[in-house]
Amino acid sequence: MNVSRMRFTAVAALGSAALLAALLSAAGRPPAPAAPAGSAARLPACGDGAGGAVCSAYGPAAALGGGTVRSYGEYQGGIPRALGISLTASAVGGLPTTATDGRHCYDADADGTLDGTHECVGGHSLELALPAVPAAAAGLPFQWVLFNWNPHGHNPHGRYDVAHFDVHFYLVPRKVRAAIKTGGCALLIACDQLAAAARPVPAAYLPAGYPASSPQTAEGAMGAHLDSRPPSTGTLTGQTFIYGAYAGDLIFMEPMLTRDFLQRHRTAPAHRTCEAIPQPAAWRIPGWYPTQYCTAYRPDQDDYTVTLTEFVHSAGARRLVTAGR
């Protein structure tokens, strides 16, 4: 994807997250309990007997490389602590090396053949169902996860053309993404959908530091990518955070991280790296939203995780209406 970033600084982002949490707490919406460390012990499964203890739930596993990937969630007293994906260590070691799985391509030069590097998007992708939510849990706005492995990276060159993972936590049903077709405009999106993909997100719902729209990064089978990372930062070497938009609405939250960065957590002392997620002034849909994302290795389970954490509750668009009176 052709993405231009103006990276929001970690200090400012942390301040934004802290301010949001404070405001929501003052409004009677307490922040979620602290997220566990990346090397936390194996948690009991969520169930009727979980009570106020921290518990976990996992989605169905999908084959990846030499292992599996699946979604997972952690709750305490019905409040979300984490939502993420778990990759077994063996999955990372046997990943595909071809540029694409060929699912989302378009013959842009009309020569009758497909160039997997330039005429396909998404790399190798898996649609992952979310784990079952405990009966007593408060609702999350997320509906499913799109996991992408890009062996050779993608546009723009010199920034994201390095082996990396994209983990899209979608806020809309799968049918919305399925309706975004490939074509000859921008990043292989159907030309008659480019205007919808480039429609600006209203300022009230725009995360701090991100552009309101980004038509040049509108991608087939995905949506537009709103990127705050400055071009001057060069090729990605760690993790970064992207918001996805379509028809003027945020449709996914996306941690992006290199394979090398993920694997370094296996030997790093803390096994975990976290960064703040820049927040909008308000969320359109009520629910629990993350203010931090983390990459980790869990020695006790021999897996890697990419996780949304530090949830706070938003009353949604109605909160703006009330505040404006």
Side-chain angles (χ1 to χ4, degrees):
M1 63 192 163
N2 245 332
V3 191
S4 67
R5 277 184 190 270
M6 292 183 57
R7 179 89 174 176
F8 197 60
T9 66
V11 172
L14 284 168
S16 175
L19 176 61
L20 180 63
L23 290 173
L24 292 173
S25 295
R29 301 287 187 176
S39 57
R42 189 182 299 271
L43 298 173
C46 293
D48 294 337
V54 181
C55 64
S56 63
Y58 286 82
L64 176 70
T68 60
V69 59
R70 57 180 176 168
S71 64
Y72 80 99
E74 295 177 6
Y75 295 85
Q76 183 173 17
I79 296 176
R81 287 167 54 101
L83 178 67
I85 57 107
S86 159
L87 301 90
T88 59
S90 55
V92 180
L95 294 166
T97 58
T98 56
T100 177
D101 56 19
R103 295 178 183 175
H104 301 290
C105 302
Y106 182 78
D107 186 9
D109 58 11
D111 67 351
T113 62
L114 291 173
D115 178 346
T117 302
H118 301 103
E119 295 182 322
C120 297
V121 292
H124 296 262
S125 63
L126 291 169
E127 294 186 357
L128 305 176
L130 294 181
V133 177
L140 284 170
F142 302 98
Q143 301 195 30
W144 60 287
V145 181
L146 176 64
F147 175 85
N148 298 84
W149 158 238
N150 303 279
H152 309 298
H154 51 60
N155 287 334
H157 296 302
R159 297 184 65 206
Y160 298 126
D161 53 350
V162 59
H164 72 270
F165 303 100
D166 298 325
V167 187
H168 305 80
F169 294 89
Y170 268 86
L171 297 158
V172 294
R174 298 188 192 196
K175 65 181 180 181
V176 174
R177 181 248 181 168
I180 303 174
K181 305 299 184 182
T182 55
C185 288
L187 297 183
L188 297 183
I189 193 171
C191 292
D192 61 357
Q193 293 182 301
L194 182 60
R199 190 177 304 164
V201 175
Y205 309 126
L206 185 64
Y210 287 78
S213 66
S214 192
Q216 72 273 20
T217 67
E219 185 172 334
M222 195 85 68
H225 293 73
L226 308 184
D227 189 356
S228 67
R229 183 171 174 263
S232 60
T233 53
T235 303
L236 182 68
T237 58
Q239 64 182 6
T240 190
F241 199 87
I242 291 174
Y243 278 95
Y246 190 78
D249 202 4
L250 296 178
I251 63 171
F252 62 76
M253 300 173 75
E254 178 197 346
M256 175 193 287
L257 59 148
T258 69
R259 177 178 56 184
D260 289 346
F261 176 73
L262 179 76
Q263 291 179 305
R264 288 200 298 270
H265 287 82
R266 189 165 192 166
T267 55
H271 297 302
R272 192 169 190 246
T273 302
C274 297
E275 295 186 40
I277 299 175
Q279 302 290 304
W283 291 96
R284 186 178 62 81
I285 301 172
W288 290 92
Y289 289 88
T291 61
Q292 182 175 263
Y293 72 107
C294 302
T295 298
Y297 171 70
R298 300 190 294 189
D300 60 301
Q301 300 186 54
D302 195 24
D303 69 350
Y304 297 96
T305 61
V306 181
T307 312
L308 306 179
T309 67
E310 298 291 349
F311 286 83
V312 295
H313 194 277
S314 172
R318 292 191 297 275
R319 181 168 173 270
L320 284 183
V321 174
T322 302
R325 290 178 179 172

